[in-house]
Amino acid sequence: RKEVEQDPGPFNVPEGATVAFNCTYSNSASQSFFWYRQDCRKEPKLLMSVYSSGNEDGRFTAQLNRASQYISLLIRDSKLSDSATYLCVVNIGDRGSTLGRLYFGRGTQLTVWP
Amino acid sequence: DTAVSQTPKYLVTQMGNDKSIKCEQNLGHDTMYWYKQDSKKFLKIMFSYNNKELIINETVPNRFSPKSPDKAHLNLHINSLELGDSAVYFCASSQDPGRASEQYFGPGTRLTVT
């Protein structure tokens, strides 16, 4: 079983639409959570961290439900430039140490059309 | 200006050859990583070094040998290349190896083994 599961999509939405991505993680020892964005043939870049209380950054809202081991990303008022693959990422700490390692979902592909 | 740089960007080689990929970061970070992104787009950690010391070594064939001459550089040498080694290899760095560290990725090296 993968550490992080995501619906690969693709999601095709018109400009201005609201779109939501979900992911689940399997390891309850997961410590921190992120959404990364990866453009075609480019490197992943951090979009935002995800906190238990939920957090918002402009048009982007991330939520974490530790009880259900579930993470979400909501994009409002989609722009053409939002077209990319969105990677759900979980940092799992090694037991008894401060060391962590990132586990990536396979990504959800989003295409925003005019 | 480039934070994390990798060379070469593209590498095409034949089975059985030995090749190296170089990575440098100018962010002053202590921790560097190598990831492999296969054709199914899964991004998986291979190795991590903290201040020139190996701290993460995932289940990777011993044909792969990382080397960190100093904390700003992490190179990856691959012996006896196989078809299955074809992938995009990303180098990354973070301030420290902790559980909540944001990681910055290099542009990737697209390796094709024929």
Side-chain angles (χ1 to χ4, degrees), chain A residues 31-82:
Chain A
Q31 300 288 336
S32 50
F33 309 88
F34 309 91
W35 283 100
Y36 275 68
R37 170 191 169 132
Q38 186 172 23
D39 291 297
C40 188
R41 301 178 82 87
K42 298 283 190 182
E43 71 273 23
K45 292 184 179 177
L46 179 68
L47 178 67
M48 57 196 302
S49 301
V50 188
Y51 305 114
S52 296
S53 54
N55 49 300
E56 192 172 305
D57 182 2
R59 297 180 293 107
F60 298 82
T61 301
Q63 294 275 356
L64 166 65
N65 184 323
R66 283 190 184 266
S68 303
Q69 297 183 191
Y70 172 93
I71 305 161
S72 66
L73 177 68
L74 183 77
I75 305 175
R76 290 182 300 279
D77 189 23
S78 299
K79 311 289 184 195
L80 296 178
S81 57
D82 293 335

Side-chain angles (χ1 to χ4, degrees), chain B residues 19-21 34 46-47 49 54 57 60-68 74-79:
Chain B
K19 290 292 178 186
S20 291
I21 308 171
W34 277 111
M46 301 172 68
F47 302 102
Y49 273 71
L54 179 67
N57 186 348
V60 177
N62 58 15
R63 297 182 295 104
F64 291 78
S65 52
K67 280 193 172 49
S68 182
L74 180 62
N75 304 322
L76 183 65
H77 187 76
I78 316 170
N79 287 328

Side-chain angles (χ1 to χ4, degrees), chain A residues 93-105:
Chain A
D94 284 357
R95 191 170 296 175
S97 82
T98 58
L99 187 63
R101 64 190 72 193
L102 297 186
Y103 289 89
F104 287 76

